[in-house]
Amino acid sequence: MSTSSIDAKMFSQMFLAAAYNLKSNKEWINELNVFPVPDGDTGTNMTMTITSAVRELEGLGDDFDMMSLCKSISSGSLRGARGNSGVILSQLLRGFCKAVRDHAEIDVPAAAAGMDKAVETAYKAVMKPKEGTILTVAKGVAEKSRELVNAGETDIDKYLTEVIEYGDQVLASTPDMLPVLKQAGVVDSGGQGLIQVLKGALEGLHGKVLTAEEVLAEEEAPEEERQAEGEIPELSADEGLKYGYSTEFVIVLDRPANLWNPKTEKDFKHFLDSIGDTKVCEKDDNEGVVKVDLESNDPGLAIEKALMYGQLVKIKVENLRAAKKAKEEAAAGQPAPSQETPADAEQMPKKDVAFIAVCAGDGLAEIFRGLGVDYVISGGQTMNPSTEDILEAVEKVNADTVFVLPNNKNIIMAANQAAILSKDRKIIVIPTKTVPQGITAVINYMPDVDPEVNCDNMTQEIAKVKSAEVTYAVRDTVLDDVEIHQGDMMALGDSGILATGKDRDETTIDSLRKMVTPSTSLISVYYGADVTEQDAETFGDKVRSEFANCDVEVQKGGQPIYYYILSAEE
């Protein structure tokens, strides 16, 4: 049946279906990550961005018009945006909504105008737009949209179907635009996320009806897990515990029967073993379920992987280090540490200038606080804080001017978006892409100097820091002409892969050989949750022996996923 326009109710139905489809495919999108690291998060970030808008829709009730619907979608996605892909998605939604909000109904010309505005808004939000990404897919969709309007197309169904078909073609061509995609054998993950949004919207147009509650159902609780933290309990990673979390759940295999087979089971077990210690992974043929019991440092990785095979029930996650510490303190007659989060705490005393830093790891948080940072947001590569998280932290520090240190290239855009949305605080984002850059920025702050001058000075100083992170590969691939195998150690530098190998320490030292120059005077090593203090000190001695002309500092970072974070400074 021909459909020439859609009203606010139908637009809402399409948006909810779009969000649901993106959420359903988020793990697949995550696995399109170019770098084979255990923290691909594009699908997760885009999903959390769009579901933030869905939460806004919950408050609309049943009686709403196009203006109020567009306001909720725009506001919710902007404040909930996480990661670069999530920020770009929020800007696409914002642009589209801005163009159509004054229409009682959206016809093909209005939709095309919305697509144009979406692309314009998203491109403006990115400092250095790169083709072969979600932006390219969005631009291709908008161009096809305009072409259909000029050709006289009036049927929304045909229009959206052809737009998606063309979008798929543009997505398929992204590896030809970005060599790194071609070498890794993947299309752009953000572009794939956008296509899934459009395909979900088409399903909504075709009659798929979902409530906001259904879209949000069984969603992991990211707000609690990624809550901004002012105080992080001292949890030692070195007390005989290799892994920090015990994770148990049951997969109800409600997908096609052939999805779970001997190969699938082997691959899933191999994945679990690559991220932790698998206690149980067995299928109960009588009940059609798979029971999993795992110890690891990132429960979310196992949970998201499992969602590919069915629904999850009986989920239980325990912080082993916190439990051990609480048990020890109870035995010693001490009260367990308070679980109150800073979000429940009172506002800090008023001051002129404050600092907020983002990092993952209790050791890194203590380092930043020791340098004078007022507030630490717990997050990083595996859990990007949202624009809303940053805005809430800004309110807590209660300062006229707030410096924000993202310490991750995938958080900078969300921080910049917070700076734009902040009404009564001046937010200055120092574009720190790594933790070492963040530490350097704080050290170079001069209290008696104007904030803008400090911004320029800190930005210049962080450019002098060379950084690297050491982790493991979760799949076979080829990057920068380097052949990488699942389980290999990898050192990721500021511009790509520095070193790979089978041995963790040797791979790390090999990366330092490429970072250190005759002018390097200081090497800093921050060891993660999976490295004991003794092993870290032994490794530090190796570094001192190899680079005798440099001062070498070894400090506890406590970060997950990454065994070592390194920096080399003049």
Side-chain angles (χ1 to χ4, degrees):
M1 186 176 71
S2 177
T3 304
S4 60
S5 64
I6 56 175
D7 59 12
K9 292 293 175 65
M10 176 55 74
F11 185 29
S12 175
Q13 179 174 312
M14 293 170 69
F15 181 75
L16 291 172
Y20 185 82
N21 195 54
L22 177 60
K23 179 181 175 183
S24 299
N25 289 285
K26 70 175 180 179
E27 181 58 29
W28 171 46
I29 297 168
N30 283 341
E31 291 181 348
L32 294 175
N33 188 28
V34 169
F35 289 100
V37 293
D39 58 9
D41 53 10
T42 299
T44 300
N45 283 336
M46 295 183 74
T47 296
M48 294 172 73
T49 298
I50 202 168
T51 53
S52 177
V54 172
R55 292 190 192 94
E56 288 282 325
L57 263 60
E58 282 188 295
L60 286 178
D62 296 324
D63 186 19
F64 56 86
D65 57 15
M66 191 70 74
M67 176 64 77
S68 58
L69 175 63
C70 287
K71 182 179 179 180
S72 293
I73 292 173
S74 181
S75 175
S77 60
L78 285 173
R79 299 182 74 86
R82 296 174 188 265
N84 294 343
S85 55
V87 172
I88 293 173
L89 176 61
S90 74
Q91 292 293 336
L92 289 169
L93 292 172
R94 175 192 175 212
F96 185 87
C97 287
K98 187 174 183 179
V100 304
R101 65 189 180 188
D102 294 325
H103 295 260
E105 295 189 346
I106 303 172
D107 57 12
V108 171
M115 296 282 193
D116 288 338
K117 191 65 177 178
V119 171
E120 176 190 335
T121 305
Y123 266 86
K124 285 182 179 178
V126 180
M127 186 173 297
K128 295 180 180 179
K130 182 183 294 185
E131 298 306 327
T133 65
I134 181 176
L135 292 172
T136 303
V137 177
K139 183 169 65 174
V141 163
E143 289 172 350
K144 183 64 177 180
S145 177
R146 182 58 54 191
E147 176 187 314
L148 290 169
V149 170
N150 293 338
E153 182 60 68
T154 59
D155 184 80
I156 289 282
D157 193 337
K158 291 180 180 178
Y159 158 80
L160 190 52
T161 299
E162 290 194 38
V163 162
I164 292 172
E165 288 177 355
Y166 186 73
D168 265 327
Q169 294 175 30
V170 176
L171 176 65
S173 70
T174 54
D176 296 325
M177 303 178 204
L178 281 179
V180 68
L181 294 175
K182 177 167 283 189
Q183 198 169 47
V186 296
V187 296
D188 179 68
S189 54
Q192 183 64 264
L194 178 58
I195 292 299
Q196 295 310 312
V197 168
L198 294 173
K199 288 182 176 179
L202 183 60
E203 290 179 355
L205 181 65
H206 289 168
K208 186 169 186 175
V209 179
L210 294 158
T211 63
E213 290 79 6
E214 288 172 325
V215 175
L216 298 171
E218 295 185 14
E219 182 182 1
E220 294 83 18
E223 297 305 325
E224 290 77 12
E225 295 172 7
R226 295 167 169 79
Q227 190 60 260
E229 299 189 10
E231 296 296 331
I232 300 177
E234 289 287 344
L235 304 176
S236 173
D238 311 322
E239 299 170 352
L241 294 177
K242 182 177 182 181
Y243 299 110
Y245 298 91
S246 171
T247 307
E248 300 177 27
F249 54 81
V250 174
I251 309 173
V252 180
L253 300 173
D254 60 351
R255 308 293 173 88
N258 62 358
L259 186 61
W260 188 269
N261 52 49
K263 183 180 184 306
T264 303
E265 183 173 2
K266 180 181 178 181
D267 290 345
F268 184 54
K269 286 182 177 178
H270 191 282
F271 174 80
L272 294 179
D273 289 338
S274 74
I275 64 171
D277 181 10
T278 308
K279 306 297 183 182
V280 176
C281 180
E282 58 184 27
K283 181 183 178 184
D284 187 327
D285 292 322
N286 294 326
E287 298 182 19
V289 300
V290 177
K291 299 177 181 178
V292 176
D293 184 353
L294 170 80
E295 289 185 1
S296 71
N297 285 311
D298 194 335
L301 293 174
I303 290 171
E304 290 185 1
K305 186 75 171 181
L307 285 169
M308 296 175 63
Y309 307 113
Q311 298 181 30
L312 303 189
V313 297
K314 299 181 180 179
I315 301 175
K316 178 184 177 183
V317 178
E318 179 184 10
N319 186 317
L320 297 176
R321 295 186 179 106
K324 186 174 188 290
K325 184 174 179 65
K327 184 177 180 180
E328 290 172 349
E329 291 181 341
Q334 300 177 16
S338 171
Q339 297 302 308
E340 179 185 6
T341 66
D344 301 318
E346 293 183 2
Q347 199 175 49
M348 296 178 182
K350 187 76 168 64
K351 60 191 306 185
D352 294 330
V353 177
F355 271 82
I356 294 172
V358 181
C359 70
D362 54 312
L364 295 177
E366 284 304 315
I367 290 171
F368 276 112
R369 280 195 287 269
L371 292 172
V373 168
D374 301 89
Y375 203 92
V376 175
I377 299 175
S378 181
Q381 187 62 21
T382 57
M383 46 183 179
N384 300 151
S386 68
T387 297
E388 180 71 20
D389 289 334
I390 296 169
L391 287 169
E392 288 180 355
V394 168
E395 287 299 315
K396 295 296 180 186
V397 297
N398 192 21
D400 295 327
T401 300
V402 182
F403 286 93
V404 176
L405 308 173
N407 300 331
N408 187 290
K409 64 181 180 181
N410 208 30
I411 301 174
I412 294 174
M413 287 186 67
N416 286 335
Q417 191 149 283
I420 294 171
L421 294 177
S422 179
K423 302 300 182 185
D424 56 353
R425 301 282 194 277
K426 182 176 183 179
I427 299 177
I428 299 177
V429 179
I430 307 299
T432 53
K433 297 180 180 179
T434 64
V435 164
Q437 286 187 352
I439 291 171
T440 295
V442 178
I443 291 173
N444 282 278
Y445 173 72
M446 296 175 287
D448 299 327
V449 175
D450 184 78
E452 280 71 23
V453 175
N454 261 308
C455 177
D456 292 340
N457 181 56
M458 288 187 285
T459 301
Q460 290 175 16
E461 290 301 318
I462 66 175
K464 301 176 183 178
V465 181
K466 296 179 182 178
S467 308
E469 298 169 320
V470 180
T471 185
Y472 61 92
V474 295
R475 68 171 186 272
D476 295 348
T477 190
V478 176
L479 278 177
D480 300 334
D481 297 321
V482 177
E483 189 173 318
I484 301 170
H485 300 285
Q486 187 177 41
D488 282 355
M489 295 293 110
M490 299 186 303
L492 307 177
D494 298 318
S495 301
I497 294 178
L498 289 175
T500 63
K502 301 298 182 183
D503 182 81
R504 183 181 70 194
D505 287 2
E506 183 55 39
T507 300
T508 306
I509 288 180
D510 191 23
S511 69
L512 284 171
R513 292 185 183 119
K514 297 177 181 178
M515 296 168 63
V516 173
T517 67
S519 60
T520 300
S521 62
L522 174 64
I523 296 173
S524 298
V525 178
Y526 306 93
Y527 62 93
D530 289 338
V531 181
T532 66
E533 182 178 1
Q534 181 178 349
D535 286 348
E537 288 300 335
T538 299
F539 174 69
D541 290 338
K542 293 179 182 179
V543 177
R544 293 183 184 97
S545 177
E546 177 82 18
F547 306 98
N549 293 328
C550 297
D551 291 329
V552 177
E553 294 182 353
V554 177
Q555 300 186 64
K556 176 186 174 183
Q559 68 273 4
I561 304 298
Y562 294 94
Y563 300 113
Y564 295 115
I565 295 176
L566 312 168
S567 71
E569 303 174 58
E570 297 181 1

